[in-house]
């Protein structure tokens, strides 16, 4: 009987891992990661395109607002990020270890009967304790290699999902590309809107609203207006929703001269509202109209500063009685019903605008002033712009009556004849009377001789002795003999007086007398003229005395008749 060989219980040499088994395991790992990676990429392509198409369709159908499109874009990016992390990054960063892969193989190929994972685990350093026999482990590894050699571990990786998603990842982009090419213009706009562009949704009828959101004055008439491009519909609607009332729909009026223009007028708007247009297949964005009160004048204080030449003090004026002297300055202090950004005085008739200054401590108080012109001004308005950029409208016009500074009046009292006879050496007394509203500044005697210096006008300044009276009645002794060159008989002198006032604001005003004549004659002719005039005076006195005698006689007869005296 042959004795069985003795089994050694010591480790003759260190165990090493099987190169064949490790090679097959590494190939399985690479295949597993590759399939998972490709599947994740396919899923990302499919989901991204489908979500993108869904977002574009929803936007085209519902005309999503910017906030909704932002939420949709965030959701798409979130889904894509999840797929990238879950199905692409995770398989690459967390690859299965050798034990997990061995269990996967043994699950598909039961003939290994735990040999594969045991061969991997027992050949690791320190896996077999000191003193233990390694012959059995070596025999196990050899047997496992024999089972692993004819097969390919990579085939156990399932590829059904990869084939399914891969096929979809090929056809979905093709279909999407064909659809994009078929509706390139529409799809381009929708794609821009998915990424939050402000371009409108493409429709057969495009709606353009020149004035969308706006601020109007409470009580104003508001015209809602839109223009269309593309297919022009025959009619349309505007949906209006007030805060205090339910929504209303109003038909739009098409402009007869411009068929692309549609509008609706809302009168006496008292509250905020939103509106949007519906024309053809187009639907405009929703716009907001804010109704706020317009700034108005609460109080106005007026003060008139008279021109300096008048010497009059400043005076408070009532708005109902603004009869202002030309050249005055009207100072205004305006209190508004709202805080103002700017204010100004609009002059009517003069057609100019004067800016006003605001009070640093009170944005509702504004001051301004303007000069009263000699003519043209009929009134003024206060124009305001509040802090919400709302301007005043249809402001009251405050009437202004401009009182011009009257020109001085002057008339010659003596000589009283239009033509006076003088000698070459005579002194002609010229008595005149001049008046002005405020003060006389200058009096000038004008004359010209018909046959001297071609009838050139000459002047003589009368001395007022530094006085500026309002009324004067002097006599000027005009030395005819002092006229140069010397006069000769037959010369005819035309003379008149001018009076100038002290108006240095809108004047000066100048008053003029009638023109009178002085004829140069010989002394004999002057003497005869004086005698003739004296005779006329005496004749007049005789006529008056005769008339008086006749009147007395008639009066005596009347008295006797009434008294019954014969």
């Amino acid at each position: 009987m042959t004795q069985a060989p003795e089994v050694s219980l010591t480790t003759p040499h260190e165990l090493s891992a099987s190169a064949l088994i490790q090679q097959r395991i590494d190939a399985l790992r690479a295949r597993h990661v590759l399939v998972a990676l490709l599947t994740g990429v396919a899923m990302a392509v499919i989901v991204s395109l489908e979500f993108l198409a869904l977002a574009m369709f929803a936007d085209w159908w519902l005309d999503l607002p910017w906030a909704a499109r932002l939420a949709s874009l965030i959701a798409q990016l979130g889904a894509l990020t999840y797929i990238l992390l879950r199905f692409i990054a995770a398989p690459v960063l967390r690859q299965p270890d050798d034990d997990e892969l061995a269990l996967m193989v043994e699950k598909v190929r039961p003939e290994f009967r735990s040999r594969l994972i045991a061969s991997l685990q027992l050949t690791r350093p320190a896996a077999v304790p000191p003193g233990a026999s390694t012959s059995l482990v070596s025999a196990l590894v050899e047997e496992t290699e024999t089972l692993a050699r004819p097969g390919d571990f990579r085939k156990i990786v399932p590829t059904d999902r990869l084939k399914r998603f891969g096929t979809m990842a090929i056809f979905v982009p093709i279909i999407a590309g064909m659809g994009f090419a078929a509706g390139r213009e529409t799809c381009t706009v929708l794609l821009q809107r998915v990424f939050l562009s402000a371009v409108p949704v493409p429709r057969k009828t495009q709606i353009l609203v020149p004035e969308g959101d706006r601020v109007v004055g409470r009580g104003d008439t508001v015209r809602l207006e839109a223009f269309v491009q593309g297919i022009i519909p025959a009619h349309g609607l505007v949906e209006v929703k007030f805060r205090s009332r339910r929504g209303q729909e109003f038909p739009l009026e098409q402009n007869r001269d411009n068929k692309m223009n549609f509008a609706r007028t809302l009168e006496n708007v008292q509250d905020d509202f939103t509106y949007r247009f519906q024309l053809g297949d187009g639907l405009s964005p929703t716009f907001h109209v804010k109704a706020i009160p317009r700034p108005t004048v609460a109080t106005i204080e007026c003060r008139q500063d008279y021109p300096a030449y008048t010497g009059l003090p400043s005076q408070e004026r009532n708005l109902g009685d603004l009869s202002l002297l030309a050249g005055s300055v009207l100072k205004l202090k305006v209190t508004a019903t709202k805080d103002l950004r700017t204010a100004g005085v609009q002059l009517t008739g003069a057609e100019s605008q004067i800016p006003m200054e605001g009070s640093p401590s009170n944005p509702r108080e504004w001051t301004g002033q303007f000069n009263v012109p000699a003519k043209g001004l009929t009134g003024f308005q206060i124009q305001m712009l509040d802090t919400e950029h709302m301007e005043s409208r249809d402001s009251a016009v405050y009437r202004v009556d401009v009182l011009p500074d009257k020109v001085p009046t002057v008339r010659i009292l003596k000589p009283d004849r239009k033509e006076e006879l003088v000698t070459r050496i005579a002194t002609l007394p010229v008595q005149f009377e001049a008046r002005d509203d405020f003060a006389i500044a200058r009096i000038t005697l004008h004359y010209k001789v018909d046959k001297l210096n071609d009838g050139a006008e000459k002047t003589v300044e009368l001395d007022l002795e530094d006085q500026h009276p309002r009324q004067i009645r002097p006599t000027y002794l005009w030395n005819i003999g002092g006229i140069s060159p010397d006069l000769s008989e037959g010369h005819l002198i035309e003379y008149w007086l001018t009076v100038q006032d002290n108006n240095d604001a809108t004047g000066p005003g100048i008053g003029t007398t009638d023109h009178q004549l002085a004829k140069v004659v010989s002394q004999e002719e002057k003497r005869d003229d004086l005698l003739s005039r004296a005779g006329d005076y005496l004749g007049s006195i005789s006529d008056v005395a005769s008339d008086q005698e006749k009147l007395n006689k008639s009066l005596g007869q009347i008295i006797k008749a009434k008294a019954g005296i014969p």
Side-chain angles (χ1 to χ4, degrees):
M1 182 174 182
T2 305
Q3 186 178 0
E6 182 180 356
V7 178
S8 175
L9 297 178
T10 61
T11 304
H13 58 82
E14 189 71 23
L15 294 174
S16 61
S18 171
L20 175 63
I21 296 175
Q22 190 62 49
Q23 181 182 4
R24 298 296 175 89
I25 290 296
D26 292 340
L28 174 61
R29 180 183 295 107
R31 181 64 174 270
H32 180 273
V33 172
L34 179 62
V35 170
L37 181 63
L38 293 177
T39 303
V41 171
M43 292 175 62
V45 171
I46 295 168
V47 172
S48 298
L49 291 177
E50 289 181 347
F51 276 15
L52 189 62
L54 181 62
M56 293 169 63
F57 174 76
D59 189 26
W60 175 83
W61 184 28
L62 302 175
D63 193 359
L64 299 176
W66 188 88
R69 288 184 280 129
L70 175 61
S72 173
L73 181 60
I74 293 174
Q76 294 178 64
L77 294 176
L80 180 60
T81 302
Y82 173 77
I83 294 174
L84 293 176
L85 295 176
R86 174 69 176 81
F87 297 100
I88 297 178
V92 174
L93 299 177
R94 296 178 57 188
Q95 298 181 12
D97 59 16
D98 293 350
D99 293 350
E100 291 175 335
L101 294 172
L103 291 174
M104 291 172 56
V105 175
E106 291 178 351
K107 184 177 179 180
V108 176
R109 298 180 61 180
E111 65 269 17
F112 280 100
R113 297 180 182 179
S114 302
R115 293 185 179 87
L116 182 58
I117 189 170
S119 299
L120 292 173
Q121 293 177 347
L122 293 175
T123 56
R124 291 171 183 161
V128 177
S133 173
T134 60
S135 300
L136 294 176
V137 176
S138 299
L140 176 64
V141 171
E142 291 179 2
E143 186 177 359
T144 303
E145 288 179 347
T146 302
L147 293 173
R149 187 172 287 109
D152 188 355
F153 289 177
R154 294 177 298 178
K155 293 182 179 179
I156 70 170
V157 178
T159 58
D160 296 341
R161 292 182 65 204
L162 174 59
K163 293 178 180 178
R164 183 169 63 252
F165 284 109
T167 303
M168 294 176 63
I170 294 174
F171 286 102
V172 168
I174 293 175
I175 296 173
M178 293 173 61
F180 192 91
R184 182 174 181 178
E185 295 183 0
T186 300
C187 292
T188 300
V189 174
L190 291 175
L191 186 60
Q192 293 175 354
R193 285 178 58 85
V194 167
F195 292 99
L196 308 181
S197 173
V199 295
V201 174
R203 305 288 187 193
K204 294 180 180 178
T205 300
Q206 294 286 340
I207 302 176
L208 304 177
V209 182
E211 291 184 276
D213 296 336
R214 66 178 105 166
V215 179
V216 301
R218 188 168 296 165
D220 286 359
T221 296
V222 179
R223 182 174 176 82
L224 307 179
E225 191 172 27
F227 292 85
V228 297
Q229 294 179 347
I231 298 177
I232 301 176
H235 53 80
L237 297 173
V238 58
E239 180 183 345
V240 179
K241 292 183 179 180
F242 287 91
R243 290 192 307 176
S244 57
R245 289 179 284 174
R246 61 182 180 84
Q248 296 176 279
E249 290 186 348
F250 299 97
L252 293 172
E253 301 169 355
Q254 189 176 30
N255 191 331
R256 294 181 179 179
D257 298 328
N258 185 357
K259 299 297 184 180
M260 296 186 297
N261 178 232
F262 293 81
R264 180 73 187 191
T265 301
L266 303 181
E267 298 182 354
N268 192 22
V269 174
Q270 297 292 332
D271 199 1
D272 299 352
F273 66 91
T274 59
Y275 71 97
R276 65 175 181 175
F277 293 98
Q278 182 177 348
L279 290 156
D281 65 344
L283 188 65
S284 75
T286 298
F287 300 102
H288 182 265
V289 174
K290 183 179 181 181
I292 62 175
R294 291 186 178 274
T296 57
V297 174
T299 60
I300 297 183
E301 298 177 11
C302 303
R303 174 176 288 275
Q304 178 185 3
D305 288 350
Y306 288 93
Y309 74 86
T310 65
L312 298 176
S314 298
Q315 181 181 0
E316 297 285 345
R317 301 305 301 265
N318 191 304
L319 281 173
D321 180 24
L322 292 179
S323 298
L324 307 177
L325 178 65
S328 298
V329 175
L330 186 64
K331 296 182 177 180
L332 304 174
K333 181 179 180 181
V334 177
T335 303
T337 56
K338 300 177 67 179
D339 293 350
L340 301 182
R341 179 183 295 270
T342 60
V345 182
Q346 177 66 47
L347 303 182
T348 57
E351 304 302 334
S352 62
Q353 187 170 14
I354 311 299
M356 303 182 73
E357 295 183 359
S359 170
S361 59
N362 187 352
R364 297 191 179 190
E365 288 186 359
W366 291 72
T367 57
Q369 64 183 39
F370 62 89
N371 295 322
V372 179
K375 57 182 178 180
L377 179 66
T378 60
F380 67 90
Q381 289 178 296
I382 304 299
Q383 295 184 342
M384 297 167 285
L385 182 69
D386 65 18
T387 54
E388 297 177 282
H389 297 277
M390 177 57 64
E391 63 180 9
S392 59
R393 182 176 292 178
D394 301 329
S395 302
V397 178
Y398 303 100
R399 180 177 175 178
V400 173
D401 294 321
V402 179
L403 303 178
D405 183 6
K406 296 179 180 179
V407 299
T409 60
V410 59
R411 62 189 181 96
I412 297 176
L413 301 178
K414 290 182 181 180
D416 55 356
R417 296 192 302 179
K418 292 295 182 182
E419 182 175 339
E420 185 70 20
L421 300 181
V422 295
T423 64
R424 293 181 299 171
I425 58 174
T427 297
L428 180 64
V430 180
Q431 185 182 30
F432 60 92
E433 182 181 49
R435 299 173 181 267
D436 187 64
D437 295 341
F438 299 101
I440 296 172
R442 185 177 183 182
I443 301 176
T444 306
L445 172 66
H446 302 257
Y447 70 93
K448 54 185 177 180
V449 182
D450 59 347
K451 296 179 181 180
L452 292 179
N453 300 323
D454 295 327
E457 180 181 331
K458 297 184 178 182
T459 60
V460 177
E461 190 77 22
L462 277 63
D463 186 10
L464 293 177
E465 299 178 353
D466 295 329
Q467 300 294 317
H468 297 285
R470 297 179 61 184
Q471 181 177 351
I472 191 172
R473 191 171 182 174
T475 299
Y476 173 66
L477 300 178
W478 186 13
N479 183 13
I480 300 298
I483 296 177
S484 179
D486 296 338
L487 301 178
S488 60
E489 296 174 4
H491 279 153
L492 189 63
I493 305 172
E494 181 182 358
Y495 67 95
W496 66 96
L497 291 169
T498 60
V499 177
Q500 179 178 311
D501 62 18
N502 66 338
N503 182 358
D504 56 1
T506 59
I510 299 176
T512 306
T513 65
D514 293 335
H515 289 217
Q516 297 191 181
L517 300 173
K519 185 177 181 181
V520 180
V521 296
S522 64
Q523 292 186 2
E524 290 78 9
E525 289 178 308
K526 179 61 178 176
R527 188 181 302 110
D528 292 342
D529 178 62
L530 292 175
L531 291 174
S532 175
R533 291 173 63 182
D536 292 340
Y537 291 148
L538 292 175
S540 299
I541 293 172
S542 176
D543 292 340
V544 170
S546 177
D547 291 341
Q548 185 67 33
E549 184 180 355
K550 291 179 181 180
L551 181 60
N552 291 338
K553 186 180 293 186
S554 298
L555 182 60
Q557 292 176 353
I558 292 172
I559 293 173
K560 289 181 179 181
K562 285 184 179 277
I565 300 175

